[in-house]
Amino acid sequence: MNELDSEVMAGILERRGFSEVTSEEEADILIFNTCSVRDLAERKVLGKIGRLGKLEKRPLIGIAGCMASSKKEALFQKVPYLDFVVGTNNIHELDAILDEALQKRPVTRVSPQFTEELDYKRAKRKDSIKASVSIIRGCNKFCTYCVVPYTRGREVSRLPESIVDECKTLADRGYKEVMLLGQNVNSYGKDRPEWGCSFAALLGRLNDISGLERIRFMTSHPVDISDELMVAIGALRHVAEYVHFPLQAGSNRILRKMNRGYTVEEYLQKVQKLRALVPDVALGTDIIVGFPGETEDEFRQTYDMVEQIGYSNSYLFAYSPRKGTPSTRWADDVPKEAKEERLQKLIDLQNRITTSHLESLIGKEVEVLAEEESGKDATCLKGRTRTWYNVVFPGSSDQLGTLQRVVVQKVINQTLFGTIIT
Ligand code: SF4
């Protein structure tokens, strides 16, 4: 979502007459589009801006993103060189903010709720084959460790006609894949029942767009995945069989404490149903280890769930308390060493599982979208399978943006290598 917001902001800057430069020293304006999910990301940004403020020719410096939304004016105390702060829900005001910041700094614009439809069609896209498309912003779930509901506000679905229109325009421009984005795509349309368009129905409409080869989506909250959606994933030709399905923890006590809204048993039932309706589906997940009070036994339950489900990939994190979230009322009592040890155990397990999934594909045919050139002399192409695995194969630039049938020959560093079947 942040990358898409950056593309929208770059589009606004370009229309204002700015162009991209390759180094920070050359820039007249620097905007840091920040993430607040982890403490480390925040500290890195502050350190970086601190250093840049000492440049001889000082650019106009702004902070956007979740850190802007959560810290607001307080950022000016932390970073004296800062000129403006743009919340995640205020990107559409960037032009006016710049006007104001050029006159008199500092400027802060942070709204608690997303309301304005952004000018996505004029975003400055980085890629010419794949594009991110926002379909719902904000989150109503309030997991106790998460800042998103406080920084991005409540769920706001985007009008289906606007999404279809943008995807048609992207397809007309030659894009082959869209990634539909939302903190919880599965609850798309629930805030606007009068539209009569569920997420599954939206996928059906996008599946009919001529030229669009692949439709992906992220993230799917386990509570909101419906039978209708599972059926749609299995039935719609262009919807890729990959579901990012965050588990977060494998213990019911910790899930309750996280306010995730499901039990381990309910989660497993959904996985079983999904696998029955979409036999080739690959599952990804997010896990937090070392949540306040997590015992060794509760971590073991998480470990066992990961092993039992056999995710194709996972994003694994050690818990860090985020200011303003309910989980800060509990002591961050799992020692750092224990968190690191648990994290490493899960990383090792996931590596073994992913490698075994990949090795099972040796000798088999997979469909790959050729997305970029690869290798020093660009004699190879790189792309992904429908199930999100990376594949490298010999090919030339005129094949970029095409779907290829590739037979897998080997696996190196969690990447598949193969050759095109002619
Ligand atoms: S569902 Fe995701 S975005 Fe929403 S509060 Fe929970 S972790 Fe945060």
Side-chain angles (χ1 to χ4, degrees):
M1 193 66 96
N2 266 24
E3 284 176 21
L4 173 60
D5 287 348
S6 294
E7 291 180 344
V8 172
M9 286 193 274
I12 295 172
L13 291 175
E14 204 170 60
R15 291 197 290 288
R16 219 183 143 98
F18 288 97
S19 57
E20 200 173 321
V21 289
T22 48
S23 75
E24 287 141 356
E25 288 73 20
E26 293 171 72
D28 294 311
I29 297 184
L30 282 170
I31 302 176
F32 290 83
N33 196 13
T34 58
C35 172
S36 272
V37 167
R38 302 180 73 203
D39 185 46
L40 182 67
E42 290 196 351
R43 280 187 279 132
K44 274 186 180 173
V45 169
L46 294 177
K48 174 105 185 167
I49 301 177
R51 286 192 295 279
L52 286 168
K54 293 174 189 142
L55 287 178
E56 206 174 306
K57 173 189 150 255
R58 204 175 72 71
L60 204 64
I61 298 179
I63 292 185
C66 284
M67 201 170 155
S69 294
S70 63
K71 301 218 170 357
K72 307 181 185 79
E73 289 87 358
L75 283 169
F76 295 111
Q77 265 98 60
K78 286 183 189 284
V79 195
Y81 316 108
L82 193 61
D83 297 298
F84 60 97
V85 170
V86 195
T88 51
N89 299 325
N90 301 74
I91 292 167
H92 60 285
E93 296 178 75
L94 183 59
D95 243 336
I97 293 167
L98 289 177
D99 285 340
E100 219 175 297
L102 285 166
Q103 297 299 320
K104 74 169 173 44
R105 58 184 291 277
V107 182
T108 309
R109 284 280 208 301
V110 176
S111 306
Q113 192 57 35
F114 184 77
T115 47
E116 196 81 11
E117 169 87 346
L118 289 174
D119 194 351
Y120 294 109
K121 278 199 191 166
R122 295 203 287 173
K124 185 172 159 36
R125 299 284 183 179
K126 280 210 172 123
D127 197 296
S128 55
I129 295 170
K130 302 172 294 173
S132 301
V133 173
S134 169
I135 66 163
I136 178 169
R137 285 186 181 246
C139 185
N140 293 356
K141 287 285 184 274
F142 290 92
C143 302
T144 52
Y145 52 82
C146 181
V147 288
V148 167
Y150 310 99
T151 57
R152 290 196 175 262
R154 298 300 93 75
E155 289 170 0
V156 183
S157 298
R158 182 175 166 199
L159 201 66
E161 288 71 26
S162 166
I163 300 168
V164 172
D165 184 44
E166 187 190 353
C167 289
K168 275 187 181 153
T169 306
L170 288 166
D172 290 345
R173 288 185 194 158
Y175 284 84
K176 301 296 174 196
E177 178 177 305
V178 289
M179 170 69 88
L180 308 178
L181 294 178
Q183 271 72 39
N184 178 11
V185 289
N186 293 355
S187 64
Y188 175 78
K190 288 185 180 172
D191 56 321
R192 301 305 292 265
E194 68 276 19
W195 291 349
C197 185
S198 64
F199 182 46
L202 179 71
L203 287 178
R205 289 175 70 171
L206 300 178
N207 188 63
D208 292 337
I209 295 176
S210 163
L212 216 51
E213 298 289 358
R214 280 188 180 171
I215 302 163
R216 299 189 184 276
F217 53 87
M218 177 175 287
T219 292
S220 281
H221 194 289
V223 164
D224 295 300
I225 192 161
S226 62
D227 292 2
E228 183 202 16
L229 178 56
M230 296 189 207
V231 170
I233 299 167
L236 298 171
R237 165 73 186 97
H238 297 294
V239 175
E241 296 82 12
Y242 174 83
V243 180
H244 190 73
F245 207 53
L247 169 68
Q248 305 298 6
S251 131
N252 282 334
R253 190 183 77 89
I254 296 292
L255 284 176
R256 219 170 22 253
K257 215 168 155 182
M258 287 177 163
N259 193 31
R260 290 292 292 171
Y262 52 84
T263 61
V264 166
E265 293 74 22
E266 285 162 347
Y267 182 95
L268 276 173
Q269 257 179 15
K270 298 212 174 186
V271 168
Q272 277 159 9
K273 198 179 254 184
L274 188 55
R275 285 186 163 154
L277 290 166
V278 193
D280 296 329
V281 75
L283 296 174
T285 201
D286 298 332
I287 307 272
I288 298 171
V289 298
F291 193 73
E294 183 190 68
T295 62
E296 200 52 53
D297 183 53
E298 284 164 337
F299 166 69
R300 175 50 65 176
Q301 292 171 37
T302 302
Y303 185 95
D304 291 346
M305 277 286 276
V306 171
E307 191 162 41
Q308 182 186 347
I309 291 169
Y311 296 104
S312 63
N313 72 328
S314 51
Y315 295 88
L316 308 167
F317 304 98
Y319 171 79
S320 66
R322 311 304 298 117
K323 211 172 156 206
T325 60
S327 70
T328 53
R329 67 177 178 255
W330 301 301
D332 180 16
D333 57 358
V334 178
K336 192 166 169 269
E337 302 70 42
K339 282 184 190 167
E340 279 168 10
E341 197 184 310
R342 291 175 195 180
L343 189 61
Q344 195 53 51
K345 277 185 185 161
L346 271 188
I347 292 171
D348 293 344
L349 172 64
Q350 186 59 60
N351 282 341
R352 283 201 300 279
I353 296 171
T354 305
T355 304
S356 128
H357 280 307
L358 291 169
E359 285 177 351
S360 73
L361 291 170
I362 293 176
K364 299 208 173 114
E365 255 182 69
V366 288
E367 182 200 273
V368 185
L369 176 63
E371 296 170 17
E372 57 186 279
E373 289 176 310
S374 174
K376 281 190 210 111
D377 42 8
T379 52
C380 285
L381 298 176
K382 192 173 171 187
R384 285 190 189 266
T385 62
R386 292 174 69 92
T387 50
W388 197 244
Y389 291 128
N390 274 315
V391 188
V392 173
F393 52 98
S396 54
S397 58
D398 57 333
Q399 290 166 313
L400 284 171
T402 60
L403 288 179
Q404 298 290 343
R405 304 289 313 166
V406 171
V407 66
V408 177
Q409 291 167 323
K410 59 184 175 185
V411 180
I412 302 175
N413 291 334
Q414 302 207 339
T415 297
L416 299 168
F417 287 79
T419 49
I420 292 177
I421 299 167
T422 49

